[in-house]
Amino acid sequence: MGDSAPVGGEQLDRAIADAVASLHAQVRFAGRLEYGYNRRGRPMQRYNIARHAGTLYALAQHYERVPDARAAALYSEVSRYLATACVRLVPGTEDQYALWGDVEGKPDEAKLGAAGLALAAWCGAHDDAQWRPPIDILSGVGGFIAAMQAPDGRFVSKYSAKDGPQTGWQSLYYPGEAALGLVRLYGVDEEPEWLDRAESALLHLADTRARDGKHEPDHWALLATEALWPYAMERERLVAHALGVIDAMLTHVQGSGALTACGRLTPTAIRLEGILAVRDLLPPGHPTTAALASIVPRAVAYLLAGQLRSGRHAGAFPRAPAGSADPRAAELRVDYTQHALSALLAWRDGRTHLPAPDDTA
């Protein structure tokens, strides 16, 4: 078989276990994470609650597949920190909760993406061994997300405790993160409004990008599409959007397997996350679907080759592979490993669903 042969077995299982262990090693007092290390190995001083929430989401994905006591304890510790350090009422409301940036030094700022990712992490498959906030808090976070959405489906990305919604900056990823969180919240409280708002958000992205002729490599929108799919009313528009996003993701595929020209690991990981989420929703005969058969296994192999195998941070994924020309190649952040872990879990779940690679190519 050619270089597009599937990557799996013990190598994949070990890589996943080592990635989880590396995240576990970054848990500090009360569930706060060591955010990262610069290229000289010194701890980074800044913090990012959206990336903390994203890491919790990856840990939730792992626990859904490996529901053991150690995984539950790790999830619960990171979960409690996010809730106790960040969740507070939105001023002037009695039932809307946001995730505030106290730990980032911005106590009056709340990010839409952090709220969406927190819900995505808290509202997946759940049992009593995992700690999460009570349902009224979860629904209150959903209420905050709803309040940040316009009637046409678009979202505002940031909220100020003093001045309300901030319209001066828009995130590429926050709308998809918010939509994903709302769909997963529906699985907890079965409130149809969350599904309506999630689909409205995704259709706004779909229609805007189709009109402008410019799709973005927005993996969170693809993850939200996959989550919404069982309930979706406008599947044709969602699939067209997914194909456009994937085509944007495949613009700079490299012979090495990297999915971007820069060769950094996380851009390849997030593209894999999105592609693998919607792979079964794509038209079987579409050229993009066929191209994935060889592209995806090579990308997985590229990602695996970049994982640290030894040393203090064994199991983590650096900014770029060893030998890269990137001067920050050795930099580590929790979200680098988080995204790689999510991509590898998705690959392990569904690698047999991809079309067979063409060995004659």
Side-chain angles (χ1 to χ4, degrees), residues 175-248:
E177 292 168 345
L180 176 62
L182 289 176
V183 176
R184 287 173 71 98
L185 177 58
Y186 172 78
V188 174
D189 69 5
E190 298 185 340
E191 171 52 61
E193 177 188 355
W194 309 139
L195 298 180
D196 293 341
R197 290 186 174 278
E199 185 154 13
S200 176
L202 292 174
L203 291 176
H204 174 74
L205 293 177
D207 294 345
T208 300
R209 291 166 177 171
R211 183 190 65 226
D212 295 344
K214 183 180 179 181
H215 286 82
E216 301 285 355
D218 182 0
H219 65 291
W220 288 113
L222 298 185
L223 290 163
T225 298
E226 186 274 335
L228 179 67
W229 191 255
Y231 318 104
M233 305 294 289
E234 298 284 349
R235 289 185 169 186
E236 186 173 341
R237 290 161 69 189
L238 293 176
V239 167
H241 178 239
L243 285 168
V245 170
I246 292 173
D247 286 343

Side-chain angles (χ1 to χ4, degrees), residues 1-16 272 276 293-305 307 309 343-352 354 357:
M1 183 170 285
D3 60 357
S4 57
V7 179
E10 293 183 4
Q11 177 192 11
L12 180 61
D13 291 341
R14 173 49 55 190
I16 289 170
L272 282 171
L276 291 169
S294 59
I295 291 172
V296 169
R298 292 189 188 106
V300 173
Y302 181 79
L303 190 61
L304 283 171
Q307 187 178 29
R309 302 297 179 186
L344 294 178
L345 288 170
W347 170 249
R348 186 172 67 179
D349 285 350
R351 59 193 176 91
T352 57
L354 284 166

Side-chain angles (χ1 to χ4, degrees), residues 3 18 29 47 79 94 102 109-110 194 208 215 226 247 252 266 289 316:
D3 60 357
D18 288 350
F29 176 75
Y47 209 72
S79 175
E94 296 181 353
D102 299 61
E109 180 181 273
W194 309 139
T208 300
H215 286 82
E226 186 274 335
D247 286 343
H252 300 292
T266 300
T289 309

Side-chain angles (χ1 to χ4, degrees), residues 309-356:
R309 302 297 179 186
S310 61
R312 177 186 173 194
H313 301 296
F317 287 79
R319 175 182 168 93
S324 168
D326 188 335
R328 294 167 55 195
E331 178 181 287
L332 298 170
R333 285 193 338 214
V334 291
D335 56 311
Y336 297 167
T337 299
Q338 166 228 317
H339 286 298
L341 172 60
S342 291
L344 294 178
L345 288 170
W347 170 249
R348 186 172 67 179
D349 285 350
R351 59 193 176 91
T352 57
H353 294 282
L354 284 166

Side-chain angles (χ1 to χ4, degrees), residues 48-55 82 104 111 113-115 117 174 177 338:
N48 186 303
I49 60 170
R51 290 171 181 155
H52 182 111
T55 300
L82 185 64
E104 298 179 353
K111 297 176 181 177
L117 290 177
Y174 287 3
E177 292 168 345
Q338 166 228 317

